[in-house]
Amino acid sequence: MPGLLRGVARTAVVAGTATAVSNRVSRRQQGRWAAQQGYQEPAPQPAPPAEPSAPLASDMTSKIEQLKQLGDLKTQGLLTEAEFEDQKRRLLAS
């Protein structure tokens, strides 16, 4: 079972890193296109309507639960300190 958890944790870290790199490449490419003559950025979409505060509390509860799970993985030795800090930073930034 610990091997499975380590694999899941490692997959999560790799997927997060891949997403960050992909987003950076997309932003860089968009910047290059914007620098070219004749390129116009699409009009921004309107912001979604504000939701009631109940989902906000639910979201915070979800984040706390995920932080506890990360702490457990670190305690079990499945995550290094650097991996734990990186995932914690990403979770709190979202």
Side-chain angles (χ1 to χ4, degrees), residues 2-57:
L4 177 64
L5 290 175
R6 183 177 296 239
V8 169
R10 185 173 292 142
T11 300
V13 170
V14 169
T17 302
T19 300
V21 170
S22 174
N23 289 341
R24 182 172 180 219
V25 169
S26 294
R27 283 192 301 272
R28 185 185 304 166
Q29 185 65 40
Q30 189 174 21
R32 288 178 183 168
W33 288 338
Q36 292 177 355
Q37 209 172 26
Y39 176 77
Q40 292 181 350
E41 190 171 318
Q45 296 180 349
E51 295 183 19
S53 61
L56 203 56

Side-chain angles (χ1 to χ4, degrees), residues 45-65:
Q45 296 180 349
E51 295 183 19
S53 61
L56 203 56
S58 174
D59 185 46
M60 185 56 71
T61 304
S62 172
K63 285 184 181 184
I64 291 171
E65 189 61 36

